[in-house]
Amino acid sequence: MARRVLALAATAAALRPLLPKRSRVTTRAALTMHDYDYDVIIVGCGVGGHGAALHARSQGLKTCVLSGGDVGGTCVNRGCVPSKALLAASGRVREMSDDDHLASMGISTNGVSFDREGVAKHAEQLVNKVRGGLEGSLGRLGVDLVPKFGVYK
């Protein structure tokens, strides 16, 4: 069994790509290629990027996420989370507007109104809370979060 593990480790080491030696030349290419020492760099911090970072850290890899200043991606910032917050608020208004149903339970209302700015503020607070949770979980695990854009060339 020990021989098998050693053989697998030797095979993995042989298959690992050889990286160029670090250069002391401070050209733009040298800075972009050799300034950082990570096992994994993930471009994007949406649901997929966050999950990939969690998995990489669970495997003991030194991990960096290039978030592009958009931790949580489209879902958290502009899609799923804010739209569900708005849907939940509209559902509450609809429930509270059903006078017949409320009267059957002995509840009466004098009409329901809502403040659009207040509802939007609630959605924004929820987005900030979820985004903060994502940033916090990455930070606690030791993932470096860089608010820059990354491009694979």
Side-chain angles (χ1 to χ4, degrees), residues 96-107:
M96 297 299 293
S97 299
D98 189 351
D99 290 332
D100 294 334
H101 178 68
L102 292 173
S104 72
M105 294 187 290
I107 300 171

Side-chain angles (χ1 to χ4, degrees), residues 76 81 122-136:
V76 170
V81 173
H122 166 71
E124 184 179 346
Q125 288 172 342
L126 187 59
V127 165
N128 291 336
K129 181 178 180 180
V130 172
R131 185 185 316 122
L134 293 173
E135 290 172 349

